[in-house]
Amino acid sequence: MQVSHRARLSPFQPETVWTLEAGTLVETRGKAERRFPLSSLTRYRLSADQNGGRRRALLLTFGKRRLMIVSQSYLGPGQFEDRLPGFSTLARAIAAVGADLAPRARFGVARLEARTAFTWVMGLLAFGASATLVFSLTAGMAEVGIDMAARMSFVLILMIAALPWLGRDPTFDPHDPPTDLLP
């Protein structure tokens, strides 16, 4: 059984058709055809519109090759046709077959990753505190540098204490994708 979804991505391109056939995802755009064997799937990320809209996208990584499948089709300037039912069927089928053929693939939901951003801010703050201390010592103003570095380190300690409460990258069972993203 073949599962397929079609969408027009831009005004100057023909309609793109994604078809799942016998463990291979086939992307056809006009006469061009690309094949992606699901056994080489390394990452499956499902994204949703942040405003609660019906726009969805599926981001697939096959080693160094990437593929994006969208749920809406371009009709005209500022006009899109919602094709969520076909997209949902294809996304579920890719998740189920991909989990069986590529057991090491990571399945997740693409959302704002606050933990990653927070960790980067903590690293920059630690670098700033140590740079402030080093520059103040070389300038002969040790008391001011120690005071500023101590205040920055205190904020860093508070951030480290809050880190366990931030959620990790959400994952899901590929045989049962989240119902809030795929109706």
Side-chain angles (χ1 to χ4, degrees):
M1 179 178 152
Q2 292 183 353
V3 179
S4 67
H5 170 66
R6 54 184 63 234
R8 189 169 178 198
L9 302 178
S10 70
F12 302 113
Q13 291 181 350
E15 189 171 59
T16 304
V17 180
W18 296 276
T19 307
L20 182 62
E21 53 185 40
T24 302
L25 182 64
V26 181
E27 179 187 55
T28 308
R29 182 179 301 148
K31 292 182 180 180
E33 179 179 285
R34 296 192 308 169
R35 294 184 164 274
F36 300 91
L38 289 181
S39 59
S40 64
L41 180 69
T42 55
R43 183 174 234 182
Y44 176 105
R45 295 188 59 130
L46 185 64
S47 71
D49 189 9
Q50 297 295 326
N51 302 328
R54 295 180 55 90
R55 284 187 291 179
R56 305 284 189 272
L58 183 59
L59 310 165
L60 302 171
T61 305
F62 299 89
K64 293 184 180 182
R65 299 170 62 193
R66 294 181 183 198
L67 175 68
M68 183 168 80
I69 303 172
V70 295
S71 67
Q72 292 186 338
S73 181
Y74 178 81
L75 290 177
Q79 297 176 352
F80 296 93
E81 179 185 0
D82 184 25
R83 295 186 178 176
L84 190 57
F87 172 81
S88 176
T89 304
L90 181 67
R92 287 177 192 273
I94 291 172
V97 174
D100 293 337
L101 296 178
R104 291 187 171 192
R106 295 186 330 193
F107 292 84
V109 179
R111 293 191 175 138
L112 178 66
E113 296 178 11
R115 187 179 183 93
T116 305
F118 201 69
T119 305
W120 273 99
V121 169
M122 287 174 23
L124 291 173
L125 185 62
F127 178 75
S130 59
T132 301
L133 184 61
V134 168
F135 289 141
S136 67
L137 291 175
T138 58
M141 301 180 70
E143 295 87 14
V144 173
I146 291 172
D147 184 47
M148 288 176 62
R151 291 171 191 257
M152 292 170 77
S153 298
F154 178 71
V155 172
L156 184 62
I157 290 170
L158 290 177
M159 291 175 79
I160 291 172
L163 195 60
W165 280 276
L166 293 178
R168 298 197 184 276
D169 188 22
T171 59
F172 62 87
D173 180 15
H175 293 290
D176 186 28
T179 56
D180 60 335
L181 294 178
L182 293 174

